[in-house]
Amino acid sequence: MSEGKILLVEDNPDDVALTLRALKSHNMKNEVVVAKDGVEALALLFGAAGQPAMEELPAVILLDLKLPRINGMEVLQRIRASERTRFLPVVILTSSDEERDVIDGYSLGANSYVRKPVDFVEFTEATKQLGLYWLLMNVAPPAPRRP
Amino acid sequence: MPLRDRPIQQKLTAILLLISGLVLLLTATAFAGYQYWSMRRTMRDMLAVRGRVMAANSTAALAFADVTHAREVLSALRADPHVLAAALYDQDGRLFATYPADLPVTAVPATPGPDGYAFARGRLAGFQAVAEAHGPRLGTLYTASDLDAIYDTFRLSGMIGAAVLAVSLLTAYFLSAALQRAISAPILALADTARAVSGRRDYSVRAPPAGRDEVGVLTDAFNQMIEELQRHATELEQRVAERTRELEARAAELLAANTELDAFAYSVSHDLRAPLRSIDGFSQVLLEDYAERLDDAGRDALNRVRAASQRMGTLIDDLLKLARISRAEMRTELVDVSAMARDIATELQRAAPERQVEFAISPGLKARGDAPLLRVALENLLRNSWKYTGKAARPRIEVGLVEANGGRAFMVRDNGAGFDMQYANKLFGVFQRLHSADEFEGTGVGLATVYRIISRHGGRIWAEGAVDQGATFYFTL
Amino acid sequence: MALLTALLASLLLQTGPAPEYQVKAVFLFNFAQFVDWPPPAGAVADTAAPLVIGILGDDPFGPFLDATVRGERRGARPFVLRRYENVADIEACDILFISRSEAKRMPAILASLKNRPILTVSDADRFAERGGMIRLVTDRQRIRLEINLEAAQAARLTLSSKLLSVAAIVTPRRR
C-alpha cells in the first residue's frame, strides 16, 4: 500500500465531492489534496507568497483542463518545466475528448488522458482503476533532493 | 516534315519554282523533240537530195558499165565526213561500185532494198533509183550516213538548253523568293500577332493592316477578335476580382463561424457534461447512502433521473460528433470499401459474439473520399443494420454495388425490422426515430451523420424498406 | 567485178553469140537515154513516133537486142528494131549499128549517112576516127566507148555530157 498523496485539481465542487466519494468507496486511504484552480495547484507545488509548498510532492496529479484563472494546460506546462516536478505523473481528467485537447495534453507531457463519464457508476469504476494503477502499480519517480 | 507544316514562304516559293521549272522543262523538251525530229528530216532530205544528184551523175557509168567512172562519181562523197558508205548496183541488183573503193562488201547490203531512206541501227541509209529522165531504171544507189551530225548538234543544243534552264530556274527562284513576300508577309505578320496573343496572352497587340484582299479581311477580323478578347478578358478579370472579394468575405465569415463552432463544441464538451455528471453522481449517492429510507417509487424516480442524465450525455456526444463531421477537413483518397466493411463487421461480431449474423460483402468495392469520414458513415449504417436485425430469424447484411438511376451506387441491405416507406423522408433528420426506444435503442443521430458525410462528398443517399422486410440504403459518392 | 561475174555467168549458162553482144545490146539501148535527136524539120514533132534502132549488115546480137528493146519506150516513143542490108534502105532511123561485116564499105556508108540525124554505132576498127560517132571497144573484158563528138554535132545530135564523161573523145584523123 502506497502512502502517496493525490493532488486533485478540479474547480467543480460537485465533481470534487463525487471524486472523493469514489476514491473512498474503494478503500483508498491515500490523502487527497484538492486545489480549486490552477493558481492554488501551482502554489501547492511550488509555494507562493505567504504559503509554503507541499512538504511531500504528490504521487499523482489528477488534472482537470477547464479551470478558471490558469487553465489545465498551462498548469501542466509549469509542472513539466520545473526540475522539481518534471517527472510527476499527471493524469488529465476532463470532460472533453476533443482531439486538440488530447494532442496538446500529450505534447505537454501528460502521462495519461481520461475522459470523465457522465454515468457515476462508470466514473467510480474509472477512478478506482486510476487509483489502483497510479498509486499501487506505477513506480513513482524518485523524490528530488530538497534544496 | 509533312507538306502541311512547312512554312508558307517555302510553300509559295516551291510552287512558283515548280511551275516555272515545269514550264521550262516542257518547253525545252518540246523544242528538243521538235529539233530532233526536224534534224532527222533535214538529214534525210539532204541525203536524199544528194543521192538524187549522185544517181543522176552515175547514170552513164551504170549504163555503160564504167566502174572507174562510177567510183569517181561516188568519191565525191569524200567531202562529207559523215558518209559511212555508198554503193552502186546494176540493173540486176548486183554490186557495181562502192565508196570507199576498198570497202568490204559486207559493209553494204548485198542487194538493193526498196527505194527510200530510213533510220536504222544508228545510221541513216537508203536506196535511190538511178535512171535518166523518163528512162528505164539503170541501177540503184545506196548511201549510208552516220548520225553524228544529229548527235553533235543535239549535244550542243542540250548543253545550251541546260544552261538556259539553269539560269532561268535560278532567276525564277530569286524572283519567286522576292515576289512571294507580297503574299506571305501579311500572313506571317498575322501569324506573329497570333503567337503573341496565344503565347503571352497579350491582348494589346494588333496585327498590322494588310490591304483589302482576303488576307486583309482576315487581319481585320483577327484584330476585332483580339479586341473582343481583350474586352472579355478585362471583364472576366473584373468579375473574377469581384467574386474573389466575395469569396474571401465568405471565407472569412465561414472561418469566423467555424471558430465559433469550435469554441462552442469545446464549451459543450466541458460545460454541458459537468452538470450532468453531478446529476447522475448525486442521484447515485442518494441511492447508495439513503437506500433504506427510500421506497420503490423513490428509487425508481432516482433511477429515471440517472437514466435521463446519461441519455443526455449520449445525446451531447452524438451532437458533438455530428458537429465535428461538418467542420472536419476532408482528404480525398482511394478507399477500399470492401475491406472497411469487413473490418466493421468483424468488430460488430467481436463485440457481440452471441449473435449470428451473415455478412455478404462484395469484394473489390472502391470509392474516392475521406477515409475516416467514410468509415464513420459505414459504421453507422452497419451498426444500424446490426441493431435492427436483432429480432430477425436469420439476420443477413449485404454490402455491394448496384445500378441505380443511370449510375452506380453502393448498397447496404439488411433483412431486419425495416421501416414504413411512408416515413422515408424523416429517416435522415436529426434525432428523428421511426422506432420507439423499447423496440430499439438509439439517438436518431446515426443516419443524420451518414447523411451529412455523404453530402460532404457530393453524393446522394436514399433508402428503401418495408416493415419487417428489411431496409436497403443506397448512396453515391 | 560484178560485171565480170555476170559475163562469166552468162557464159556458163548460155550458148550462142558471145555475151559481149548482150552488153553491147544494152549499150545500144542505153544510148537512147543519153542522146537527143533534133526535131524533124518542117513537121510538128511527133513525140510518139517510134524510136528506131537499125542494124546494118550481119546481126551479131542474136536474141539479145530484141529482148532488150522489147516493150521499152523512151518517153512516149516505143523502140522498134529494123535490119537493113543496104544504106539506101535506111529511111527513118535513130540509132544505127553498123556491123563489122560492113567494115570495107565503111567510108561510103558513113559518107551517105553524113549529116543525117542518125547515131552511128559500131565495133569496127577505127570507127570513130573514120567519122563514126560511137565505137564500142572491147578492152580486157570491158567495153569502152570512143566518141567522135564532131560527127555527132555535125548530125545535130546532142550527146549528154554524162555519156561523154564515160567515153574517150576521139578526133578524126584529118585526111
Side-chain angles (χ1 to χ4, degrees):
Chain A
M1 275 287 180
S2 167
E3 292 303 318
K5 284 195 239 178
I6 299 172
L7 173 60
L8 174 64
V9 188
E10 171 68 61
D11 66 324
N12 185 335
D14 287 346
D15 276 345
V16 171
L18 290 171
T19 309
L20 287 174
R21 187 190 166 87
L23 285 169
K24 237 195 299 215
S25 73
H26 294 300
N27 289 323
M28 272 180 227
K29 304 266 184 0
N30 306 67
E31 187 189 334
V32 181
V33 180
V34 177
K36 281 203 301 293
D37 58 38
V39 174
E40 253 193 64
L42 290 172
L44 281 170
L45 286 170
F46 302 114
Q51 191 185 344
M54 291 166 74
E55 272 186 31
E56 214 183 289
L57 286 179
V60 65
I61 301 177
L62 299 178
L63 180 62
D64 186 19
L65 287 182
K66 198 93 182 323
L67 298 167
R69 297 204 278 175
I70 309 177
N71 72 18
M73 289 299 178
E74 239 191 276
V75 173
L76 176 58
Q77 229 170 346
R78 300 262 195 103
I79 292 175
R80 285 288 173 256
S82 161
E83 188 62 39
R84 199 168 122 86
T85 53
R86 199 152 63 104
F87 296 130
L88 263 185
V90 175
V91 175
I92 293 180
L93 196 58
T94 180
S95 305
S96 158
D97 67 346
E98 289 286 310
E99 207 178 308
R100 201 183 55 204
D101 291 329
V102 177
I103 292 174
D104 289 345
Y106 277 114
S107 306
L108 290 170
N111 297 75
S112 170
Y113 191 108
V114 174
R115 190 167 185 235
K116 282 192 270 191
V118 167
D119 183 332
F120 185 63
V121 173
E122 272 186 51
F123 181 66
T124 321
E125 183 62 29
T127 319
K128 164 178 156 199
Q129 298 211 1
L130 277 174
L132 276 175
Y133 180 77
W134 287 102
L135 294 170
L136 295 176
M137 284 189 69
N138 190 45
V139 177
R145 226 121 17 112
R146 292 284 204 95
Chain B
M1 204 198 276
L3 186 64
R4 226 173 48 168
D5 297 339
R6 292 203 167 269
I8 286 195
Q9 286 187 311
Q10 263 191 41
K11 280 200 272 235
L12 280 174
T13 313
I15 289 177
L16 287 171
L17 258 187
L18 197 70
I19 293 181
S20 31
L22 208 66
V23 165
L24 282 170
L25 207 66
L26 279 174
T27 317
T29 313
F31 263 124
Y34 172 72
Q35 191 175 48
Y36 184 67
W37 174 80
S38 170
M39 283 214 62
R40 274 162 65 117
R41 213 168 65 132
T42 310
M43 195 176 187
R44 195 173 56 192
D45 289 348
M46 277 178 41
L47 200 64
V49 162
R50 195 183 314 127
R52 280 199 288 278
V53 168
M54 304 256 333
N57 288 345
S58 349
T59 45
L62 275 175
F64 304 110
D66 190 340
V67 177
T68 320
H69 188 74
R71 288 210 187 111
E72 243 181 76
V73 170
L74 285 181
S75 68
L77 289 171
R78 215 178 327 154
D80 186 350
H82 292 298
V83 170
L84 289 170
L88 279 169
Y89 302 80
D90 66 12
Q91 265 169 318
D92 303 316
R94 286 182 284 248
L95 191 60
F96 184 65
T98 57
Y99 165 78
D102 53 356
L103 193 72
V105 286
T106 46
V108 293
T111 47
D115 290 345
Y117 292 88
F119 291 89
R121 288 191 287 269
R123 40 153 71 179
L124 172 64
F127 299 93
Q128 164 76 47
V130 178
E132 273 294 305
H134 309 302
R137 195 189 180 105
L138 294 163
T140 314
L141 171 69
Y142 167 81
T143 33
S145 165
D146 68 20
L147 303 178
D148 288 352
I150 292 187
Y151 292 154
D152 286 342
T153 319
F154 218 60
R155 203 185 351 251
L156 189 63
S157 321
M159 289 198 295
I160 296 179
V164 169
L165 196 73
V167 169
S168 311
L169 277 177
L170 208 65
T171 317
Y173 174 73
F174 285 119
L175 271 180
S176 47
L179 292 176
Q180 57 78 30
R181 217 162 286 145
I183 308 278
S184 70
I187 297 182
L188 288 174
L190 200 60
D192 277 340
T193 317
R195 247 184 297 233
V197 169
S198 70
R200 301 198 308 262
R201 303 237 179 279
D202 181 359
Y203 298 130
S204 59
V205 300
R206 295 284 183 273
R212 280 230 222 134
D213 64 352
E214 289 83 344
V215 179
V217 169
L218 191 64
T219 314
D220 287 339
F222 185 75
N223 282 341
Q224 270 184 6
M225 282 199 301
I226 302 183
E227 267 203 52
E228 287 276 331
L229 271 174
Q230 199 174 26
R231 208 165 345 119
H232 278 215
T234 336
E235 253 186 62
L236 267 172
E237 268 172 48
Q238 284 175 346
R239 239 183 279 166
V240 165
E242 261 182 55
R243 285 292 159 75
T244 314
R245 275 195 298 275
E246 277 177 36
L247 278 172
E248 275 171 7
R250 205 78 58 78
E253 276 179 38
L254 275 171
L255 195 63
N258 259 357
T259 324
E260 272 183 52
L261 207 59
D262 262 346
F264 174 70
Y266 196 67
S267 311
V268 166
S269 335
H270 285 263
D271 299 341
L272 285 185
R273 291 171 60 95
L276 282 181
R277 205 172 17 259
S278 301
I279 295 173
D280 184 274
F282 286 109
S283 304
Q284 185 65 17
V285 167
L286 277 174
L287 278 171
E288 286 173 5
D289 291 354
Y290 297 89
E292 12 20 285
R293 271 185 259 176
L294 280 171
D295 64 350
D296 284 335
R299 270 196 292 277
D300 182 60
L302 282 172
N303 279 329
R304 279 178 204 261
V305 168
R306 283 199 66 214
S309 53
Q310 278 162 31
R311 183 171 171 78
M312 185 149 175
T314 319
L315 282 173
I316 292 173
D317 280 350
D318 282 349
L319 266 179
L320 263 181
K321 280 201 209 116
L322 192 57
R324 271 198 219 128
I325 302 294
S326 303
R327 65 183 167 84
E329 266 177 39
M330 281 199 11
R331 227 194 25 224
T332 315
E333 55 186 318
L334 196 62
V335 176
D336 186 347
V337 177
S338 304
M340 206 184 260
R342 278 196 294 272
D343 240 13
I344 299 170
T346 317
E347 265 179 44
L348 289 170
Q349 192 72 75
R350 206 178 316 150
E354 71 283 1
R355 283 199 60 193
Q356 297 289 346
V357 179
E358 185 193 338
F359 276 97
I361 300 172
S362 301
L365 297 175
K366 299 234 192 301
R368 286 199 75 82
D370 183 279
L373 286 183
L374 284 179
R375 188 173 179 104
V376 169
L378 213 52
E379 263 180 20
N380 281 353
L381 284 173
L382 285 173
R383 230 180 271 279
N384 265 8
S385 293
W386 180 269
K387 196 163 55 176
Y388 287 99
T389 51
K391 299 208 185 114
R394 304 234 320 243
R396 179 186 158 87
I397 301 177
E398 278 177 55
V399 180
L401 203 61
V402 297
E403 298 279 338
N405 292 355
R408 296 202 304 183
F410 292 95
M411 168 269 293
V412 177
R413 175 185 291 139
D414 66 77
N415 59 354
F419 59 90
D420 192 341
M421 278 297 284
Q422 226 184 27
Y423 306 112
N425 55 332
K426 290 201 174 158
L427 267 178
F428 299 105
V430 180
F431 292 146
Q432 285 282 6
R433 302 206 66 221
L434 297 184
H435 295 270
S436 63
D438 37 283
E439 285 182 307
F440 296 100
E441 53 86 39
T443 54
V445 172
L447 285 179
T449 310
V450 177
Y451 185 87
R452 194 74 68 90
I453 293 177
I454 300 296
S455 297
R456 283 205 74 194
H457 281 82
R460 284 185 51 229
I461 178 165
W462 68 101
E464 282 169 9
V467 179
D468 286 330
Q469 283 174 33
T472 311
F473 289 85
Y474 304 97
F475 63 94
T476 61
L477 285 168
Chain C
M1 186 63 195
L3 203 55
L4 198 59
T5 328
L7 286 173
L8 281 172
S10 50
L11 209 63
L12 292 166
L13 291 171
Q14 296 172 13
T15 52
E20 176 189 343
Y21 278 95
Q22 183 178 15
V23 177
K24 287 180 179 169
V26 172
F27 278 29
L28 212 54
F29 168 70
N30 280 340
F31 284 141
Q33 308 288 337
F34 296 90
V35 174
D36 282 325
W37 284 265
V44 173
D46 184 358
T47 50
L51 202 152
V52 181
I53 300 184
I55 304 175
L56 184 60
D58 296 341
D59 181 346
F61 293 103
F64 291 129
L65 194 52
D66 295 85
T68 309
V69 305
R70 187 172 306 124
E72 293 289 345
R73 291 174 177 270
R74 182 184 186 269
R77 303 180 66 184
F79 280 87
V80 168
L81 215 53
R82 295 225 175 99
R83 289 170 176 82
Y84 307 102
E85 292 286 333
N86 296 314
V87 171
D89 299 335
I90 303 172
E91 290 171 1
C93 182
D94 297 287
I95 302 175
L96 181 67
F97 181 79
I98 304 172
S99 175
R100 269 208 274 252
S101 63
E102 312 300 300
K104 293 194 193 62
R105 289 187 285 275
M106 200 60 74
I109 294 167
L110 287 174
S112 69
L113 290 172
K114 210 174 172 92
N115 299 335
R116 283 184 73 178
I118 298 175
L119 185 72
T120 51
V121 182
S122 178
D123 48 0
D125 287 339
R126 305 205 331 264
F127 182 65
E129 292 162 19
R130 286 178 174 186
M133 292 178 199
I134 302 182
R135 179 181 168 214
L136 305 173
V137 180
T138 306
D139 172 15
R140 286 177 294 173
Q141 312 297 340
R142 247 202 78 194
I143 302 195
R144 287 191 296 107
L145 300 176
E146 279 180 5
I147 295 184
N148 184 336
L149 192 55
E150 275 184 33
Q153 283 170 343
R156 290 178 295 134
L157 295 175
T158 321
L159 301 187
S160 161
S161 56
K162 294 184 203 171
L163 177 56
L164 297 177
S165 64
V166 298
I169 312 294
V170 168
T171 353
R173 205 181 303 148
R174 293 267 179 244
R175 282 258 177 116

